[in-house]
Amino acid sequence: MDLRNTWDQWPDANGRFGEFGGRYVAETLMPLILDLEAEYRKAKEDPAFKAEMDDLWTHYVGRPSPLYFAERLTEHFGGAKIYFKRDELNHTGAHKINNCLGQVLLAKRMGKTRIIAETGAGQHGVATATICARFGLECVVFMGETDVERQKPNVFRMKLLGAKIVPVSSGTGTLKDAMNEALRDWVTNVDDTFYCIGTAAGPHPYPELVRDFQSVIGKEARAQIQEREGRLPDAVMACIGGGSNAIGLFHPFLEDESVRLIGVEAAGHGIETGEHAAALNGGLPGILHGNKTYLLQTDDGQIVDAHSISAGLDYPGIGPEHAFLRDTGRAEYLSCTDQEALDAFQLCTRLEGIIPALEPSHALARVGEVVKELGPDGLLILNMCGRGDKDVFSVAKALGVDM
Amino acid sequence: MPTSRITDTFAKASGESRAVLVSYLMAGDPDLETSFAAMCALRDNGADIIELGAPFTDPMADGASIQKAGLRALAHKTTLADTLALAARFREDDKTTPVIIMGYANPVFRMGFAKFAEAAHEAGVDGTILVDLPPEEDGELRDAYAPYDLSVIRLATPTTHEARMQKVAEGASGFLYFVAVTGVTGAGSADPQAIAGNIEMAKRVSGLPVCVGFGVKTGDQAAEMAKIADGVVVGSAFVDHAEKAHESGEFADAPRGMGALAKELSEAIRTVAKQ
Ligand SMILES: Cc1ncc(COP(=O)(O)O)c(C=O)c1O
């Protein structure tokens, strides 16, 4: 099949991106995700839904986020011009709120009164708690015990916002277990509860709707770069946890085949050590959390724990659309170790006066090589998808600084 | 013909105007040898059908009890092949008791649906319940099972309305597993009155025997469910005996405890007539 000019036709009616995606959920949830899909189709056609969303994006979230020319970083590498899409300036400090706002507005349309979410770094939890506070909805956030420990500032923030935090000790107490626990809550509380998934993964229609809500990033960036430079970029780059900020940036460029789409996975201690979170570079296709996608797993199909210094990337899977884009060759996926991310974190802070979150620091760590490949006439956009305030404690610890 | 073992079992119980007892245990918990002894003890004490759990790291529809059972089994590296070998060993001497494998899609997907179907058939397995393969996603599995008459046992729940039940029934075989509560295994118990109508509808729409599970732990609860369903499934209450044996180190207590519970449950079921 000729995929050109059909990149944005996916998923198909069964929620598939090629062979990936689908709806691998327990029967209890099937009627719920079918309802959600039907409601989403209606909302998409409803001008009032879009109007409410746009209004809150502008006045509450602070969109559009700027496209910033990172002049000193560009000079430092001596290659293509580097632009940052500054989603770290959003209310709550990351791209996560773009999606939360959309999902909570959907939940309201569906008459749901209780919102549940999983969180790793706590950014999605904070964004969900924020929107729930704004709309007066009950909010319960599932968070792995390990992450509760390493993301303390965000835990307190969520509590201030009125959310209930459920530390998850089952399994290995990280993001995947938080997601299991959220799914268990959802099968238990089907009537009043809406599951607000934080990344472009999970059963259909989540990968599609999260992508659509996050695509505001790419749509703005595409218009902004054309205004600034009079042309499309040569490459766009983003870090990959579950893949929501990346797909949000990539999707509006999918049909512009001259634009390279580059995702960066977390290589942790190095892919060869087995301690990493690089599902595409070090995993195999499998079925987990409602979708078929690449997963870190054993030969026997048991899920292996991810490792990354960044809690937001510490997940053994990846959204199904990325699995599809990688297998079809439309997007490239690189990786970056904990140490490389820490170095990039410091470099960006010193040169640009922008403290990046550890997640986009992974993408930053690969920018040098890419801009050299593109050469001085090239243009690159990097998604600065989160600010680093939440990470200063863990970075201090990693650098051996006693605060 | 493997399906006939399931059909025969329901026909026999129906002749006795009673429901069947389906008992669940996790393969390899606390070890494979104990699981084999437990399967025999369950059968000897009135379990009509044995559901053998295939361990998975991320069992999203299970409560704490079965989650921990899976992790115990995985801690000493119980594989899907081990689970099949356990079924095969049981089948050597038992030609009539149906054995159903219950688990999650990924280990089966990794083995390959066709390879798994062949291996399950050879092991004398009668069917599978793969929790995260709803009708929309089990086409490949059904194709793989077709040559062998392995049953694709599907789940129905209180959220399964009639139109949805038709979808669930289409292509299902063996029996229908009605999940009594919206929730995970081992959670609170259901009120039989509240679900009696759903079970009636499930029987009518599917034309299959309907077994009820989730939250059934005691003889009294089993007896109540046995009035309205063709079978009663008990899981976490059996698994709790494996946990105790694991903790005490007295593994032989597991088959003993499970056998005693099976006896209590099957006797309770026999005290009531199926409606
Ligand atoms: C700032 C930031 N970036 C990226 C991610 C990773 O998620 P995704 O790949 O869905 O964008 C997270 C997750 O918590 C995050 O907080």
Side-chain angles (χ1 to χ4, degrees), chain A residues 16 23 27 184 285 287, chain B residues 58-59 62 106 110 137 164:
Chain A
R16 298 234 166 224
R23 305 178 180 102
E27 184 58 34
R184 288 178 188 127
I287 296 164
Chain B
D58 294 81
D62 284 301
N106 198 49
R110 277 313 322 158
E137 305 294 353
R164 178 76 198 158

Side-chain angles (χ1 to χ4, degrees), chain A residues 94-96 121 123 198-199 239-245 312-313 357 359 385-386:
Chain A
H95 66 292
K96 296 285 178 187
Q123 288 305 108
T199 193
C239 66
I240 308 259
S244 70
N245 88 85
L313 305 183
E359 290 82 9
C385 59

Side-chain angles (χ1 to χ4, degrees), chain A residues 119-240:
Chain A
T119 198
Q123 288 305 108
H124 174 59
V126 167
T128 309
T130 297
I131 304 288
C132 286
R134 167 67 182 72
F135 288 103
L137 296 166
E138 184 186 348
C139 178
V140 179
V141 179
F142 295 88
M143 190 166 186
E145 267 181 358
T146 318
D147 295 332
V148 169
E149 191 49 41
R150 62 178 162 172
Q151 302 287 334
K152 277 186 196 145
N154 273 345
V155 172
F156 184 57
R157 216 165 275 156
M158 286 185 272
K159 286 184 182 159
L160 285 172
L161 290 159
K164 182 179 159 212
I165 313 299
V166 182
V168 176
S169 60
S170 63
T172 48
T174 56
L175 182 54
K176 85 174 168 73
D177 304 291
M179 196 149 179
N180 289 333
E181 219 46 46
L183 285 163
R184 288 178 188 127
D185 181 290
W186 202 22
V187 294
T188 310
N189 301 294
V190 293
D191 291 330
D192 62 348
T193 296
F194 185 99
Y195 182 13
C196 181
I197 295 186
T199 193
H204 180 63
Y206 283 101
E208 177 187 346
L209 67 87
V210 175
R211 173 198 75 197
D212 291 352
F213 293 140
Q214 291 294 4
S215 288
V216 67
I217 301 171
K219 280 182 203 148
E220 287 174 6
R222 197 171 182 285
Q224 288 165 322
I225 193 86
Q226 281 177 310
E227 198 181 304
R228 293 282 288 273
E229 295 281 350
R231 69 173 183 94
L232 290 173
D234 300 296
V236 298
M237 280 182 87
C239 66
I240 308 259

Side-chain angles (χ1 to χ4, degrees), chain A residues 20-26 174-181 183-184 197 199-204 207 279 284-297 301-306 314-320, chain B residues 56-61 104-107 109-110 132-133:
Chain A
F20 300 105
R23 305 178 180 102
Y24 295 87
V25 295
T174 56
L175 182 54
K176 85 174 168 73
D177 304 291
M179 196 149 179
N180 289 333
E181 219 46 46
L183 285 163
R184 288 178 188 127
I197 295 186
T199 193
H204 180 63
L284 292 167
I287 296 164
L288 181 73
H289 293 154
N291 56 179
K292 185 184 286 180
T293 187
Y294 278 81
L295 300 171
L296 304 184
Q297 56 183 316
Q302 303 298 340
I303 307 306
V304 172
D305 276 320
D314 205 348
Y315 179 67
I318 181 165
Chain B
F56 183 50
T57 38
D58 294 81
M60 63 176 180
Y104 291 80
N106 198 49
F109 172 75
R110 277 313 322 158
D132 50 352
L133 275 192

